[in-house]
């Protein structure tokens, strides 16, 4: 975004901000009843909670330290942190939990504030490297199209989408695939041409100067605001620790929105993952180099080594993927997880040794190949770099496979995961608090973490311990109630009698309750499940019993399902965990949210089990200290889908009887929005019958 001159909005004194000591005062004036935003935006309403948050953010940016802010839905927290960030005059890193919020901030909120504040500032939106086209890899892939390699991904690769991407690549300024609106989310060959860090050769690349990632990094280094998401934030920090490929410029001020997601994302990116897919990708890249003549007369030797690696990878992952045991397995969508130990992996050492040997040979063969004489159509420098990159990837894959197979590093949990046809060996950190403190909080002068759900029973103790903030004396806390009137806008329905959720009778009883609730709400509902098995069982009942359109997660891309739900009268969406957060549907289209069970993480999940053990070893109480708080925050996120605006009205329903029968149920109820509670379906009918 280009800088714009000050046209209107802030008074010269506020716009200049010559004295940083008055940042809090300047922010207060912006949010005042007759302040800058009220004058510039006809729909702006001054909210005390929003003003209080904005002033607290300003104080933290000015004085340093860490601020945790729970800002209830409707507070207007996005503007509450963006205004101080803009007026601070510092480069501020803003990280969001989803690309949806990231794009809303960049394309909508910042545009509004640029016009309203009249303060010149620049901003850059940075997504994960996999969203951007790699010019170097695209050239190589395009060359292979004629040889038939590209057609491995389907006829559409060479006949439809390849020409579209080629034309777009010459006109785009950002290289962000989101600009091509008709590009399928699951385009088979996008991974072959994306600018991922694994394939990046950095400053050695012949297209480094005009690389979209390089240009994005340059823009960000010159920007006032750098808007990223948690996946990029953690992936970038992980890469920064050990290799080239980081893209986020140095920032000393950070604002982390949707901070409740940070632990899960960090767990994913600060671990190690070796999969059958990575071997397939390595083999395809090597085949493309051979087909393009990069290896010259030695192409046959490289191909022979490659075939050996393929065979051994196939044998190894087939053996590991069919492991027989009595595992603690969690079913999550199409994912199966099996916790591993060194003893469990020992039977596969021989196959693994053969596979690592083939990677050794691939690394050395690719490194020793002498490229053919320069070709005017393909500079010799590029062929050298392609081979060097291939050798480097083979070596890294070997080292990571060795690390996972040892399964002995204290502080990690090791597990096997199968997803579709893919087999993954993973090592994940059990506790990311020290990592986050080292790579994020300690690097910043000021950090603000915010979300609508950070507290459990009004306390920040759980989130601060999980994120490594429990020892920091410079940490401050602010809890702001929602601006919504839940006693007027919502009711909470808790069935009078339900079987234990672990019994065989629960699904049938839940089905009857769901049908009764949906009849009273006339559809217009999300029904959120903790498992796919429960979703499928209720789907059968709902499709027979209800006259309303039934939409089911997995039947279409998430964005398409949401759009269909918004535009289809009386629709009902059946979904699992991916719809529990980051989804906004305002108005009558969503008038009811039903949750079948309290969303406890399965104690059989490898990561959850390892964390329970770690808490027990420290003398803690894992159920009360970890499992209950985690489930409360997840439940709050699910129920938070309902009321998104002051005019929204609706019913929250939780069918799990433990909310009323177990002692810990009081902890859940104490954390829920202050809606009126009913146990009668008739009250739901009356609620929707009111004008």
């Amino acid at each position: 975004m280009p800088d714009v001159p000050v046209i209107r909005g802030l008074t010269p004194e506020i716009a200049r901000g010559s004295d940083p000591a008055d940042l809090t005062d300047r922010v207060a004036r912006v949010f005042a009843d007759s302040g800058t935003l009220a004058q510039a935006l006809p729909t702006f309403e001054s909210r005390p909670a929003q003003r209080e948050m904005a002033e607290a953010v300003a104080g933290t940016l000015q004085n340093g330290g860490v601020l945790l802010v729970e800002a209830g839905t409707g507070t207007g927290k996005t503007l509450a942190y963006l205004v101080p960030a803009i007026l601070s005059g510092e480069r501020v890193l803003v990280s969001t939990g989803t690309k949806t919020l990231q794009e809303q901030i960049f394309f909508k909120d910042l545009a509004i504030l640029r016009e309203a504040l009249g303060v010149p500032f620049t901003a850059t939106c940075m997504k994960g490297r996999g969203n951007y086209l790699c010019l170097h890899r695209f050239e190589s892939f395009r060359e292979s199209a004629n040889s038939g390699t590209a057609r491995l991904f389907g006829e559409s690769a060479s006949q439809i989408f390849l020409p579209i991407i080629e034309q777009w690549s010459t006109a785009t300024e950002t290289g962000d695939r989101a600009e091509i609106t008709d590009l399928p989310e699951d385009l088979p060959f996008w991974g072959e041409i994306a600018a991922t860090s694994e394939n990046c050769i950095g400053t050695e690349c012949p297209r480094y100067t005009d690389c979209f990632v390089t240009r994005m990094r340059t823009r960000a280094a010159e920007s006032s605001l750098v808007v990223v998401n948690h996946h990029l934030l953690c992936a970038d920090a992980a890469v920064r620790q050990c290799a080239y490929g980081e893209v986020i410029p140095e920032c000393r001020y950070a604002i982390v929105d949707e901070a409740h997601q940070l632990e899960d994302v960090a767990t994913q990116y600060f671990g190690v993952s070796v999969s059958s897919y990575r071997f397939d990708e390595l083999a395809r890249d090597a085949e493309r180099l051979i087909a393009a003549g990069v290896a010259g007369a030695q192409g046959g030797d490289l191909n022979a080594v490659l075939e050996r690696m393929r065979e051994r990878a196939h044998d190894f992952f087939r053996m590991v993927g069919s492991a027989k045991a009595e595992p603690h397995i969690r079913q999550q969508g199409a994912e199966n997880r099996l916790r591993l130990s060194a003893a469990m992996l020992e039977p596969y050492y021989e196959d693994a040794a053969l596979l690592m040997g083939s990677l050794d040979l691939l690394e050395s063969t690719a490194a020793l190949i002498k490229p053919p004489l320069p070709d005017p159509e393909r500079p010799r420098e590029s062929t050298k770099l392609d081979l060097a990159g291939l050798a480097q990837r083979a070596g890294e894959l070997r080292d990571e496979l060795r690390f996972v197979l040892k399964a002995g590093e204290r502080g990690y949990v090791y597990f096997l995961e199968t997803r579709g046809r893919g087999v993954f060996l993973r090592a994940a950190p059990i506790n990311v608090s020290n990592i986050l403190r080292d790579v994020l909080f300690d690097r910043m002068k000021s950090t603000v973490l915010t979300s609508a759900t950070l507290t459990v029973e009004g306390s920040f103790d759980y989130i601060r311990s999980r994120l490594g903030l429990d020892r920091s004396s410079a940490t401050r806390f602010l809890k702001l109630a929602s601006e919504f009137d839940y006693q007027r806008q919502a009711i909470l329905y808790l069935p009078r009698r339900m079987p234990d959720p672990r019994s065989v009778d629960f699904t049938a009883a839940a089905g009857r309750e769901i049908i009764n609730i949906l009849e009273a709400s006339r559809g217009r509902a999300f029904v959120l499940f903790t498992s796919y098995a429960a979703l499928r069982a209720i789907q059968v009942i709902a499709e027979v019993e209800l006259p309303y359109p039934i939409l089911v997660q997995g039947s279409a891309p998430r964005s398409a399902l949401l759009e269909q739900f918004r535009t289809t009268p009386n629709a009902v969406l059946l979904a699992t965990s991916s719809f529990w957060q980051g989804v906004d549907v305002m108005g009558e289209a969503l008038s009811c949210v039903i949750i079948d069970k309290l969303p406890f993480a399965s104690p059989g999940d490898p990561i959850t089990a390892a964390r329970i053990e770690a808490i027990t070893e420290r003398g803690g109480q894992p159920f009360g200290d970890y499992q209950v708080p985690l489930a409360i925050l997840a439940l709050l996120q699910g129920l938070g889908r309902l009321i998104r605006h002051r005019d929204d009205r609706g019913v929250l329903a939780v069918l799990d009887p433990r909310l009323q029968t177990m002692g810990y149920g009081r902890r859940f109820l104490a954390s829920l929005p202050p809606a009126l509670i009913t146990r009668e379906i008739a009250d739901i009918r009356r609620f929707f019958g009111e004008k």
Side-chain angles (χ1 to χ4, degrees), residues 144-379:
S144 70
N146 293 332
S147 68
T149 305
R151 284 192 290 274
L152 292 173
F153 299 94
E155 288 298 316
S156 62
S158 55
Q159 294 183 3
I160 301 175
F161 295 112
L162 202 58
I164 292 173
I165 294 174
E166 184 170 6
Q167 181 179 7
W168 163 75
S169 69
T170 63
T172 178
E173 290 291 324
T174 68
D176 183 353
R177 61 169 290 169
E179 293 179 353
I180 311 178
T181 55
D182 295 330
L183 201 66
E185 293 181 16
D186 57 348
L187 182 68
F189 67 81
W190 180 259
E192 305 298 308
I193 60 176
T196 56
S197 58
E198 184 176 59
N199 300 308
C200 183
I201 50 181
T203 54
E204 302 291 322
C205 180
R207 302 300 302 269
Y208 177 79
T209 302
D210 53 349
C211 167
F212 293 118
V213 174
T214 301
R215 289 156 61 182
M216 176 180 66
R217 185 191 296 118
T218 301
R219 288 195 303 272
E222 299 170 349
S223 293
S224 311
L225 293 177
V226 180
V227 186
V228 303
N229 56 63
H230 299 347
H231 291 270
L232 176 58
L233 179 70
C234 293
D236 193 77
V239 169
R240 193 184 298 270
Q241 287 182 310
C242 56
Y244 175 85
E246 72 276 4
V247 297
I248 301 176
E250 287 291 333
C251 298
R252 298 188 63 218
Y253 302 85
I255 297 171
V256 181
D257 200 348
E258 297 174 317
H260 63 278
Q261 299 182 27
L262 191 56
E263 182 184 19
D264 283 345
V265 178
T267 301
Q268 175 183 345
Y269 282 97
F270 289 106
V272 174
S273 176
V274 178
S275 68
S276 54
Y277 288 141
R278 286 183 65 185
F279 280 88
D280 291 342
E281 290 166 3
L282 182 65
R284 284 199 299 267
D285 283 351
E287 286 178 341
R288 191 157 54 247
L289 294 179
I290 295 170
V294 169
Q298 296 167 283
D301 297 336
L302 182 60
N303 190 62
V305 172
L306 190 63
E307 284 303 311
R308 184 180 304 178
M309 185 205 73
R310 270 188 180 279
E311 291 174 6
R312 290 178 174 172
H314 177 269
D315 291 343
F316 173 74
F317 283 105
R318 177 178 55 82
M319 293 289 291
V320 172
S322 61
K324 303 291 184 183
E326 279 298 330
H328 293 299
I329 294 179
R330 179 178 74 172
Q331 183 74 26
Q332 185 182 36
E335 296 181 2
N336 287 318
R337 289 177 169 182
L338 165 65
R339 190 172 181 182
L340 299 172
S341 64
M344 292 176 65
L345 286 167
E346 192 171 342
Y348 310 107
Y349 282 175
E350 184 175 345
D351 289 300
L354 292 173
L355 178 54
M356 287 189 284
S358 69
L359 288 168
D360 280 334
L361 189 57
L362 178 59
E363 180 185 25
S364 59
T365 302
L368 292 173
I369 287 177
K370 295 181 180 179
L373 293 175
D375 184 330
E377 300 297 322
R378 186 176 180 83

Side-chain angles (χ1 to χ4, degrees), residues 605-617:
D605 171 66
I607 296 176
T608 303
R611 287 176 174 164
I612 289 173
E613 291 169 8
I615 294 170
T616 302
E617 289 175 5

Side-chain angles (χ1 to χ4, degrees), residues 263 267 339 410-413 428-432 466 607 610-611 614:
E263 182 184 19
T267 301
R339 190 172 181 182
R410 187 171 177 82
Y412 283 81
V413 57
I430 297 172
N431 190 329
V432 297
R466 300 308 306 172
I607 296 176
R611 287 176 174 164

Side-chain angles (χ1 to χ4, degrees), residues 24 206 552 621:
T24 303
V552 180
Q621 300 292 327

Side-chain angles (χ1 to χ4, degrees), residues 65-69 256 259 262 431-438 440-442 444 446-450 454 460-477:
V66 177
L67 172 68
L68 275 78
V69 184
V256 181
L262 191 56
N431 190 329
V432 297
S433 61
N434 291 335
I435 298 173
L436 287 171
R437 190 162 54 240
D438 292 341
L440 180 60
F441 306 129
D442 287 351
M444 300 293 171
S446 303
T447 307
V448 176
L449 299 106
T450 186
L454 288 181
F460 288 90
D461 288 350
Y462 172 76
I463 198 72
R464 69 189 293 201
S465 67
R466 300 308 306 172
L467 298 182
L469 299 169
D470 50 328
R471 302 179 207 164
S472 174
S473 60
T475 302
R476 293 178 292 277
F477 308 93

